[in-house]
Amino acid sequence: MLDILFYVFAAITLISALLMVLSPNAVNGAICMIVSFVGTAALFVLLEAYFLAILQVLVYAGAVMVLFLFIIMLLDVDKETNHYLKDKMTLAGSIMGFALLTILIFSTFVGDQHLPEAALPTVAENPTGEGLGIPFTTSAKSFGYSLFTKYMLPFQVTGFLLLAAMVGVIVVSKKEEDAK
Amino acid sequence: MTVGLNAFILIASLLFAIGMLGVLLRKNTLVIYMSLELMLNAVNLALVAFSRYNGTMDGNLFVFFIITVAAAEVAVGLAIIVALFRRRQTVMVDQLNALSR
């Protein structure tokens, strides 16, 4: 049952990502992107990272994509002409690189001599996790413990980064004639 | 679940390749930016898979930080794109090939 779900969600994620890349209309692309993000959130659920799945839907599929759609509709750029391809050489190079990467991936993971399959470890019961090696748990509580013990400094830096980004956005998007 | 770590890494790699294709092929800056987000998303998927199969929380925490930084980056990048559009009236990269005009 879980296998079928994995294939379904992986197909949804990949196909909608491809549709986003290939659709000439940016608004359609953004909608496909939301579907792709929700598919990734479902894959997170299959990996038992429930908190990250919720975060993915709220932040990525919700806030970030709403911001994207807002800007796309605000700027109202017309459709890309000449079939959205920069030029023939870029297209050829991209297709070749993509094909090479796909062959590489398949020969690494799918062929006869693929990497050994890792065994799925059991989920730890204790959400706190003593010491530095915090075991994998499904509860959101372990995020809190990790953030306020092992990752205290990155957490603070992230907060400062968000403040800097907020101030930067206000400065950048201010109208220029206000300065005079 | 019989599908293992390799299948998740395979999906993440393909997702990253699709995002790279978008960055290389498209002309609209906003779509290029969405493709960048797609590549970040692929890396997130790989990190969560590694974290789950390694039995530690570190990968999940990295994904948490990546999501936070990506949200801040989207806000700044879109503000830059709007400022650029105000000045040049276009978001197509083939017309934005000079720093000043």
Side-chain angles (χ1 to χ4, degrees), chain A residues 113-146:
Chain A
Q113 296 178 328
H114 60 79
L115 294 174
E117 196 67 63
L120 192 68
T122 51
V123 176
E125 288 293 319
N126 178 24
T128 62
E130 300 297 323
L132 286 181
I134 295 153
F136 185 87
T137 53
T138 57
S139 76
K141 216 182 203 177
S142 54
F143 269 90
Y145 279 108
S146 310

Side-chain angles (χ1 to χ4, degrees), chain A residues 3 21 23 33 40 47-48 56 60 77 80 84 86 98 105 115 117 121 134-136 150-151 158 176, chain B residues 2 4-6 10 13 17 24-28 34 37 41 52-53 55 57-58 68 70 85 87 91:
Chain A
D3 289 359
V21 166
S23 82
M33 195 72 181
T40 316
L47 285 167
E48 296 178 74
Q56 173 90 4
Y60 261 128
V77 288
E80 290 183 42
Y84 58 78
K86 280 172 189 160
F98 192 76
I105 288 166
L115 294 174
E117 196 67 63
I134 295 153
F136 185 87
K150 191 178 177 183
Y151 292 98
T158 307
E176 295 212 357
Chain B
T2 54
L5 176 61
N6 286 351
L10 181 70
S13 313
L24 287 174
L25 275 185
R26 300 301 301 264
K27 281 196 300 189
N28 193 336
M34 281 199 286
E37 293 299 312
N41 205 44
R52 176 72 185 89
Y53 281 88
M57 276 305 278
D58 296 289
T68 319
F85 183 78
R87 183 166 293 219
V91 291

